[in-house]
Every structure is written in structure tokens, then in C-alpha cells.
Amino acid sequence: MTQRILIIGAGQVGTILGKAWLACGHDVRFGVSAPDSPKHAELPRERLQPANERRDAEVVVLAVPYPIAQSALTALGDLTGLIVIDCTNPLAMGPNGLELTLGFDTSAGEQIAAGATGASVFKTLNQTGIENIPHAHAFQPKAMMFVAGDDEELKPVVLQLVADLGFDAIDAGPLRAARLLEPLAMLWINQAMQPGHPQGFAFAQVQRD
Ligand SMILES: NC(=O)c1ccc[n+]([C@@H]2O[C@H](COP(=O)([O-])OP(=O)(O)OC[C@H]3O[C@@H](n4cnc5c(N)ncnc54)[C@H](OP(=O)(O)O)[C@@H]3O)[C@@H](O)[C@H]2O)c1
């Protein structure tokens, strides 16, 4: 089923996700701070809009740095009935390199949900490098992508959007499972940053007979 998707942030993640969902037939718009900026020249101008306008979006994707995700969502105004896909990872440089800035007793997904009254927040699409999204169909076995969220009625919509990209979309349970999915992303990043390690990998769930 076609979804009206608003992607906040047309950086690496926003642009790749938007193009992939457009190719699947979804109605995608990009919310950006400067729609007329030449840096968005590769995107169709009619699909660019100010980042603070929800318009008729059914799904909003937060493809911005975690520290500004909450304010980007608040700027949309009334969030009633909205599906929010949080693909942020709360990262910062620490003494040993890139690190998670929170975890164990909360998660970026839960922090975002706490300020998103009326919306249903789902954590997903944070668990592999974005360069793998256009090639998700190429993984054998299928690359997994967990989806965590509390709204069981709307979760199938998000699972389908993730499956549309070519992933093995797996229900990880309630949003508090984002506490596990953000460190899983950190594991991917840690592996990807090993000298000489290729970036074209993702995790998979395999079953024995
Ligand atoms: N890169 C990956 O492989 C990957 C994978 C999974 C998840 N993630 C997560 O996805 C998020 C985005 O990552 P990215 O690599 O796409 O970063 P990025 O390339 O730096 O893009 C971030 C975007 O956020 C925009 N932005 C900043 N403030 C904004 C605001 N107030 N309103 C609207 N847009 C705003 C920026 O637009 P301006 O240029 O106009 O400031 C930029 O286009 C991060 O949370 C990251 O942790 C990244």
C-alpha cells in the first residue's frame, strides 16, 4: 500500500531512503531547511518542502542527527496519528573513538517518543550502513532489520516499509528494544571501522532445520 512519507533531512540517509521508497511507488517528500539550496539539486524540486511542515504525511522519518531529532519533530506541530520512524543513532566522539551517548536504561528511540505526543514511534533502519540500503535485495541470506515499537496496530505498516527496501524485517518487540538496537548499530559501525573491513555487510538471522 502506498504511504505518504515525509523524510526530515536530505543528507546521506534521507536521500538514499527517499529514492528507494520512491522506486517502490511510495509518495515521498523531503523536509529540509532550505528547499531551494543547490545541494538538493539531485532531488525533484516538487518533492522538497520546508522541514517544519507535516502537510498530509502519514509517516515521518527522522534522518537527522540525534541531538536535533526531537526539535525537528516538535517543529511539525500536531503529531496525532503519525508514524515516526527513528533511524538515528546517538553517537559522539569519545576517548576511544565513536561511542553511543546513552543506553542501558533508555534509548534515543524512547527519548524521542517521550516528546512525541500523539505519534507512534518505531526504531529501525539504524542497523547497517546506509550505503547498503540500495543493495539490500542483494544480500544472501536476506539482511535483517529489526523494528521496535509499541503500537501493534501500526507496526505492520513499518515492517512493510522496511521489507519494501529488501530487508528481512523482524519485529523486535516494544520500543524499549531500541536499547538493544542502538548498540547493535554500534557493533556494525565498530566492525566497519576495522582497517580494511568492507562496508558492504549486514547482519542476518538464520534458522537451523
Ligand atoms: N550514515 C549512515 O550510514 C547511517 C546509518 C543509519 C542511521 N544513521 C543515522 O541517520 C541520521 C542521519 O545520518 P546521515 O548520515 O544522513 O547524516 P547527514 O548526511 O549529516 O545528514 C543529516 C541531515 O540532517 C539535516 N538537518 C540538520 N538539522 C536539521 C533540521 N533542523 N531540520 C531538518 N534537517 C536538518 C542536514 O541538513 P543541512 O545540511 O541542511 O543542515 C542533513 O541533510 C543520523 O542520526 C545517523 O546516526 C546513519
Side-chain angles (χ1 to χ4, degrees):
M1 192 175 140
T2 302
Q3 300 293 332
R4 290 190 299 274
I5 303 170
L6 170 61
I7 298 180
I8 307 292
Q12 297 181 82
V13 170
T15 300
I16 285 177
L17 281 178
K19 285 181 174 175
W21 277 322
L22 276 170
C24 297
H26 293 292
D27 181 2
V28 177
R29 283 168 199 281
F30 300 88
V32 295
S33 41
D36 292 316
S37 167
K39 74 182 174 186
H40 301 306
E42 63 171 307
L43 297 173
R45 177 62 187 90
E46 69 277 10
R47 296 202 172 271
L48 291 160
Q49 66 176 64
N52 60 352
E53 295 178 11
R54 173 180 170 178
R55 300 188 187 172
D56 61 355
E58 301 163 304
V59 178
V60 161
V61 181
L62 295 171
V64 294
Y66 170 66
I68 65 119
Q70 188 65 69
S71 58
L73 199 51
T74 306
L76 294 175
D78 184 9
L79 305 179
T80 306
L82 193 63
I83 291 173
V84 174
I85 294 180
D86 165 33
C87 57
T88 69
N89 282 311
L91 302 174
M93 286 307 281
N96 300 311
L98 212 50
E99 296 177 345
L100 288 170
T101 58
L102 52 82
F104 295 111
D105 55 1
T106 189
S107 61
E110 290 163 280
Q111 294 293 306
I112 288 167
T117 306
S120 298
V121 177
F122 296 89
K123 184 90 205 182
T124 190
L125 294 172
N126 67 316
Q127 302 144 46
T128 189
I130 196 65
E131 58 271 38
N132 289 313
I133 303 261
H135 310 289
H137 289 279
F139 287 98
Q140 247 347 300
K142 270 190 166 191
M144 71 183 185
M145 183 60 69
F146 287 114
V147 175
D150 295 331
D151 190 327
E152 295 300 329
E153 206 171 313
L154 290 176
K155 193 179 276 181
V157 175
V158 180
L159 287 164
Q160 185 60 55
L161 283 172
V162 172
D164 287 349
L165 297 170
F167 288 104
D168 180 14
I170 303 173
D171 184 351
L175 187 60
R176 61 180 285 125
R179 299 175 193 187
L180 307 175
L181 302 187
E182 291 163 11
L184 182 60
M186 194 67 238
L187 177 62
W188 188 93
I189 294 165
N190 195 50
Q191 288 291 104
M193 289 173 69
Q194 299 302 314
H197 200 292
Q199 310 282 298
F201 73 99
F203 303 127
Q205 182 168 269
V206 290
Q207 296 290 143
R208 63 177 164 75
D209 289 336

